[in-house]
Amino acid sequence: MNKRIAILISGRGSNMVALADAIASGAIPDAQIALIVSDKPSAGGLQLARDRGLKTAVVERRGLKREEHDREIIAVLQSHEVDLVCLAGYMRLLSPCFIEAFRGRILNIHPSLLPSFPGSDAHEQALEHGVKVSGCTVHFVDDTLDRGPIIAQRSVPVLDNDTEETLAARILDQEHRLYTEALKVVVEGSYKIVGRRVIRDC
Ligand code: GRF
């Protein structure tokens, strides 16, 4: 049976598009997009999702406490029988009730080689620190910030003349490929988790 995927976004949605297009092209055979959820009605990704005929839902915060807001999202996801949740530029931390409702079934992509440079300003941190290599990470989401078990990583060089924008663009290009590869592994269930390590079945 196909795994039903929800993708949560807050903005432009390029990773969402990469995943949706990969699934539409058959690159992840046992997956289907159930729903795209945004916490922001202005998210550019919503229109890109609609253009692809994908179902969308907007669950605005409206001043709700984090947990109340998350419970609304959980209800929407459950009503769409979602198996896996992919965070793709979703700019809110998840509350424990969300993690618990989908434990081991939430993925996130982050634009650095975690555990270096967690948080929302990864490119700025990388340039400030002066690293020569950065990259991107797809990981399971647990109760920690950007520290859940790592599914896949890819490195990119940091060039002497890089700005946040040029570095972000180089990393983003790899994010789109990496997220698709990592989601395929999780959909296929071809891994086990040993301690913090996600070990791929050979
Ligand atoms: C990406 O860089 C992702 O790693 C980070 O937020 C950005 C979202 O970009 N979590 P997009 O909305 O997928 O284009």
Side-chain angles (χ1 to χ4, degrees):
M1 222 182 23
N2 274 355
K3 289 265 191 291
R4 293 174 58 78
I5 317 284
I7 307 178
L8 269 57
I9 63 171
S10 297
R12 74 190 156 185
S14 73
N15 278 289
M16 177 274 296
V17 165
L19 294 180
D21 289 355
I23 289 172
S25 75
I28 309 178
D30 298 323
Q32 72 183 86
I33 300 285
L35 183 68
I36 309 300
V37 180
S38 174
D39 61 330
K40 295 206 163 53
S42 59
L46 283 170
Q47 190 55 46
L48 299 174
R50 291 184 197 114
D51 292 345
R52 288 164 171 75
L54 300 172
K55 192 160 190 190
T56 61
V58 176
V59 184
E60 280 188 87
R61 183 160 179 216
R62 309 183 318 277
L64 293 174
K65 292 201 177 109
R66 185 186 310 284
E67 183 169 337
E68 292 168 342
H69 182 229
D70 278 0
R71 287 200 187 283
E72 288 192 1
I73 297 177
I74 292 166
V76 171
L77 298 177
Q78 288 175 340
S79 73
H80 286 81
E81 299 179 331
V82 165
D83 298 303
L84 286 173
V85 177
C86 293
L87 307 182
Y90 183 66
M91 295 308 286
R92 283 179 63 71
L93 290 176
L94 303 186
S95 52
C97 67
F98 198 140
I99 311 280
E100 203 41 58
F102 288 92
R103 188 165 286 283
R105 296 186 292 144
I106 309 172
L107 284 66
N108 182 42
I109 184 143
H110 184 79
S112 75
L113 294 175
L114 290 171
S116 291
F117 316 136
S120 60
D121 55 353
H123 309 108
E124 187 185 342
Q125 290 184 62
L127 290 178
E128 212 167 79
H129 197 91
V131 291
K132 301 299 185 195
V133 176
S134 190
C136 46
T137 302
V138 179
H139 63 94
F140 285 111
V141 175
D142 63 11
D143 314 90
T144 61
L145 174 64
D146 293 339
R147 287 191 59 87
I150 291 169
I151 304 163
Q153 291 187 301
R154 181 127 327 135
S155 60
V156 306
V158 180
L159 306 181
D160 288 347
N161 58 356
D162 263 337
T163 61
E164 280 178 44
E165 289 69 31
T166 58
L167 178 59
R170 190 175 312 115
I171 292 175
L172 190 65
D173 191 45
Q174 295 304 320
E175 288 184 37
H176 297 159
R177 299 158 206 259
L178 190 73
Y179 213 169
T180 302
E181 292 167 21
L183 179 59
K184 185 165 187 281
V185 170
V186 174
V187 166
E188 288 172 347
S190 54
Y191 67 94
K192 57 180 181 276
I193 300 184
V194 182
R196 288 191 43 82
R197 300 179 74 195
V198 179
I199 312 268
R200 303 272 294 272
D201 297 338
C202 298

